[in-house]
Amino acid sequence: MSNYDESYLDCGFGHWIVGAKDAGGGKSWCDPYKTWEAMYNNEPEAGLESSGLPLHNILGGEVAMWTETVDEYNLDQKVWPRASAAAERYWSPKAALNGAGKVAQNEMFFA
């Protein structure tokens, strides 16, 4: 499962879209840039509770990075801080989340 509004790692760079910025160019369909905080605070099941979908059938989540916006020089800085934040969110049991929807500091694992 991935939601387009928080799961695309290539969003927010916009430099590869043609057109003058003052004419609406230079942006991509998924702007703005998603910070690691935004990815961590994303609730992937938001809005699905009332849909009637069987949420127990969701087996995992993903983030996407389109290769036309990344190369061997910027892969690590574009992918890993935000992908790891999303991964923490996906595998943290909801019971471990505090009222703000975040993992309590004393429950975090630091490597």
Side-chain angles (χ1 to χ4, degrees), residues 27-95:
K27 296 181 180 178
S28 67
W29 65 272
C30 59
D31 279 347
Y33 176 82
K34 285 32 171 203
T35 64
W36 72 264
E37 293 96 339
M39 300 196 87
Y40 180 80
N41 290 326
N42 179 43
E43 174 50 64
E45 294 178 7
L48 295 179
E49 295 85 6
S50 61
S51 68
L53 296 173
L55 298 182
H56 64 277
N57 287 342
I58 297 173
L59 301 177
E62 68 177 3
V63 293
M65 182 68 191
W66 291 86
T67 57
E68 71 266 14
T69 65
V70 69
D71 58 26
E72 67 270 20
Y73 302 107
N74 62 14
L75 174 71
D76 287 341
Q77 64 205 30
K78 282 189 172 183
V79 172
W80 296 118
R82 297 175 298 145
S84 60
E88 174 63 33
R89 184 59 169 178
Y90 292 145
W91 71 53
S92 293
K94 287 189 177 186

